[in-house]
């Protein structure tokens, strides 16, 4: 069976804030029961740096670092395609 999963998180701040390092745990795990066929990540404001991380249990994550200038919002949108067996 195939699934399409869409997730959006949107924060709006009353005054501009400085965004710090985040680890996003929004990517589905691929294993013997399911495979991630597609994963798309959109972030606003766009991070200055981004890297893939894996925790001790094998779960995927994405580390993001933001520029020093303050922002009044943070929007994270993911779209994933999953196939289960």
């Amino acid at each position: 069976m195939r699934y399409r999963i869409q997730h959006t998180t949107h924060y709006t701040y009353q005054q501009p804030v400085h965004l710090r390092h985040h680890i996003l745990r929004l990517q589905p795990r691929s294993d013997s029961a399911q495979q991630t066929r597609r994963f798309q990540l959109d972030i606003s404001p766009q991070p200055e740096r981004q890297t893939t991380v894996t925790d001790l249990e094998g779960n995927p994550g994405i580390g993001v670092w933001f520029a020093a200038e303050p922002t009044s919002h943070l929007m994270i949108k993911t779209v994933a395609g999953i196939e289960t067996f």
Side-chain angles (χ1 to χ4, degrees), residues 11-55:
Y11 298 100
T12 304
Y13 306 104
Q14 291 181 355
Q15 59 190 19
V17 298
H18 293 277
L19 297 174
R20 304 290 184 210
H21 173 249
H22 287 64
I23 295 181
L24 308 176
R25 300 184 188 278
L26 298 169
Q27 183 173 353
R29 182 177 179 163
S30 291
D31 57 23
S32 61
Q34 70 180 26
Q35 289 293 312
T36 302
R37 299 296 183 198
R38 175 178 173 229
F39 183 74
Q40 178 182 343
L41 173 66
D42 294 314
I43 303 173
S44 175
Q46 189 167 5
E48 197 170 73
R49 194 171 70 142
Q50 180 174 320
T51 188
T52 302
V53 297
T54 304
D55 69 16

